[in-house]
Amino acid sequence: MLDKETNQLLTAVDQGTPMGELLRRYWWPVAATAELEERPTKPIRVLGEDLVLYKDLCGNYGLLDRHCPHRGADLAYGYVEDCGLRCNYHGWLFEQSGRCLEQPYQDIALPHSRMKASIRIKAHTVVARAGLLWAYLGPAPDPLLPDWEQFTWPNGFVQIVFATLPCNWLQCQENSIDPVHFEWTHDNWSMRLRGAQGPYSPRHLKVAFEEFEYGMIYRRIREGQDESNQLWTVGRVCLWPNGILASNHFQWRVPIDDVNTLCVHWFYTRVPKGREPYRQARIPYWVAEVTDASTGRLIDSHVTNQDFVAFIGQGEIADRTRENLDQGDEGIVMMRKRFLDDLKVIASGRDPKAVIRDADKNRCIRLPLIGREEVVEGVDPEELKRRIPGSTVAGVGMDDFPWLAGQPAAVKVEFEQAMGWR
Ligand code: FES
Ligand SMILES: [Fe+2]
């Protein structure tokens, strides 16, 4: 249980708040690169800042203040030039560093004016990696964007899925260090949703938590398992400060503001053995459904949607003054303590946990991964069909993407073609 001030301290993300400043020390995935191929500007809100993301005609990415410093027009309606983004109101042109390159009428009327040199629009760094655009909103110098090993894997089909949730990001991230919920939120609830009354799934007998360089690890033993199981020997990674690594995907929880979160999922599926080499022409993205429009209820049929029900159910900002933590919540306590400690670390001018600045270290960073060999090396085609319920083969699991609701048919087709099922 936390007091009111600490709960507020941990959940407020605007610039100038302690957590807002801490979270600004990290890179955040904010959009798919494919989105800017369709339309070169995109308004985004991240960490309480209204911004516009763009890709100019030379291929440079920029992330600027949403509003023009001239008289405030919305730059999401601006148009991109060879270099930079031009306001659609009076044509001021800005480049990715935030410099104003042109003030068209002023440049004619007062050619010697020094006004242009004094104009700067707020600008953040944005880089493309693994089909995503990553933003850094913190103080210079920018740290390195983590080069996770997954981003270098060949022969895989990657898809990016977004979901926007009406709640604070931290309650989503706390789920990354919450082993026991698997039993109840996924296994048992799914069984009950199917109309069965039992049996309930194997119970958790033991959980353990520890920190490592890039986050935290939790381990579990359930009935019927022992300490030789990878769920115990390898464990699951809670990625610092904003994600989780499950077997075949990352999920990052990106604060839009204090009461909204963008969940960004990056799924990698290795093509079956024998289908190499496979090269994906374009990484598709889609937006998951969260609410069932016909009933107004949250969708509960897909694994990650089940998590969303839990997060949203905790309220806009989970009231941690009323909680009663039990033994399964040791990791949550550890996470909060690390955040609070890191607020002191940045106040003393040092880097917080998992900020990477050493380029030699930042090469293909290998994270602990349960089932590594199969995820990386692939399995036989028939085995893959059995394991991945995304198959249309009759009788194999649910005829749908199992993690999130709303996968477009076109993405499903691309996926099945990649797997050799069509
Ligand atoms: S408001 Fe943008 S150029 Fe005038
Ligand atoms: Fe979950």
Side-chain angles (χ1 to χ4, degrees):
M1 188 166 91
L2 297 181
D3 59 46
K4 202 168 158 218
E5 291 66 36
T6 310
N7 197 33
Q8 202 171 354
L9 179 70
L10 283 172
T11 53
V13 299
D14 281 352
Q15 193 162 23
T17 62
M19 274 301 275
E21 294 306 310
L22 173 59
L23 297 178
R24 277 170 173 73
R25 309 301 169 109
Y26 300 94
W27 290 91
W28 296 90
V30 293
T33 52
E35 289 180 86
L36 295 197
E37 303 306 326
E38 292 161 12
R39 184 192 292 279
T41 62
K42 184 185 183 194
I44 65 167
R45 184 167 163 80
V46 57
L47 293 165
E49 295 186 33
D50 287 308
L51 304 165
V52 59
L53 192 57
Y54 72 83
K55 181 179 187 184
D56 69 21
L57 298 174
C58 286
N60 303 307
Y61 292 104
L63 183 59
L64 304 178
D65 195 337
R66 176 88 183 260
H67 295 282
C68 177
H70 177 213
R71 282 169 42 212
D74 183 352
L75 288 171
Y77 292 92
Y79 33 98
V80 289
E81 301 283 10
D82 279 343
C83 177
L85 176 64
R86 188 183 295 282
C87 180
N88 68 345
Y89 204 7
H90 312 95
W92 288 22
L93 176 67
F94 305 95
E95 56 135 29
Q96 69 213 57
S97 72
R99 269 196 322 141
C100 180
L101 302 180
E102 291 175 19
Q103 284 177 294
Y105 181 68
Q106 178 85 352
D107 291 345
I108 289 170
L110 275 179
H112 302 299
S113 161
R114 297 162 64 139
M115 182 179 175
K116 198 166 50 195
S118 70
I119 300 281
R120 267 207 119 72
I121 188 170
K122 177 164 76 176
H124 299 302
T125 318
V126 53
V127 299
R129 183 82 170 109
L132 285 165
L133 292 170
W134 300 80
Y136 177 74
L137 281 67
D142 300 358
L144 299 171
L145 176 68
D147 184 35
W148 306 124
E149 165 195 23
Q150 280 77 355
F151 297 165
T152 69
W153 286 344
N155 296 316
F157 182 89
V158 173
Q159 57 189 303
I160 290 163
V161 190
F162 298 106
T164 301
L165 309 187
C167 62
N168 184 263
W169 82 286
L170 182 62
Q171 61 215 53
C172 309
Q173 178 61 1
E174 286 179 340
N175 174 258
S176 306
I177 195 77
D178 183 338
V180 176
H181 90 280
F182 270 79
E183 184 183 329
W184 299 100
T185 310
H186 303 304
D187 296 346
N188 293 337
W189 192 25
S190 298
M191 177 271 289
R192 295 296 295 269
L193 286 168
R194 285 195 298 270
Q197 300 291 322
Y200 279 111
S201 64
R203 290 174 300 176
H204 280 74
L205 300 178
K206 187 156 93 168
V207 295
F209 306 90
E210 71 194 62
E211 283 205 42
F212 80 115
E213 193 170 3
Y214 301 110
M216 292 175 180
I217 290 175
Y218 67 75
R219 305 171 195 279
R220 59 157 70 100
I221 292 178
R222 296 175 70 168
E223 287 171 319
Q225 296 169 346
D226 60 31
E227 294 191 1
S228 65
N229 192 297
Q230 287 197 11
L231 288 164
W232 184 260
T233 57
V234 179
R236 192 76 85 192
V237 169
C238 161
L239 202 61
W240 206 255
N242 52 7
I244 186 167
L245 171 63
S247 56
N248 66 339
H249 70 277
F250 288 105
Q251 182 186 159
W252 295 278
R253 286 76 186 239
V254 183
I256 294 172
D257 51 32
D258 291 355
V259 292
N260 293 284
T261 300
L262 177 70
C263 292
V264 180
H265 312 79
W266 186 94
F267 288 91
Y268 167 93
T269 310
R270 170 75 159 72
V271 298
K273 280 186 175 155
R275 292 246 346 135
E276 314 88 344
Y278 170 75
R279 223 182 135 73
Q280 193 173 15
R282 167 187 172 274
I283 296 179
Y285 76 93
W286 49 283
V287 177
E289 291 164 5
V290 175
T291 305
D292 180 341
S294 65
T295 63
R297 273 176 66 87
L298 296 169
I299 294 171
D300 54 23
S301 48
H302 294 59
V303 178
T304 308
N305 287 85
Q306 295 174 337
D307 293 314
F308 295 165
V309 173
F311 309 162
I312 295 169
Q314 288 173 287
E316 264 193 347
I317 299 179
D319 184 355
R320 296 175 179 80
T321 66
R322 295 168 53 155
E323 65 191 9
N324 295 282
L325 300 182
D326 71 11
Q327 280 302 303
D329 298 317
E330 259 180 73
I332 304 264
V333 174
M334 205 182 232
M335 172 183 281
R336 293 175 187 173
K337 185 172 179 319
R338 169 53 61 199
F339 278 132
L340 293 170
D341 287 349
D342 270 355
L343 293 180
K344 296 184 197 128
V345 167
I346 61 164
S348 71
R350 288 174 292 136
D351 277 335
K353 182 177 179 70
V355 163
I356 307 171
R357 297 200 187 271
D358 180 346
D360 287 335
K361 249 168 117 174
N362 193 38
R363 283 210 188 100
C364 197
I365 298 174
R366 188 179 162 120
L367 296 166
L369 184 64
I370 294 169
R372 162 175 290 279
E373 197 186 321
E374 292 182 356
V375 176
V376 181
E377 303 299 330
V379 295
D380 294 327
E382 289 310 309
E383 178 65 11
L384 187 68
K385 278 185 197 162
R386 197 177 66 72
R387 303 256 179 108
I388 296 182
S391 164
T392 52
V393 179
V396 180
M398 61 195 283
D399 182 19
D400 195 0
F401 187 71
W403 299 94
L404 290 138
Q407 188 190 47
V411 176
K412 185 178 171 70
V413 168
E414 277 178 55
F415 175 79
E416 292 182 355
Q417 284 170 340
M419 297 304 134
W421 299 345
R422 277 177 182 261

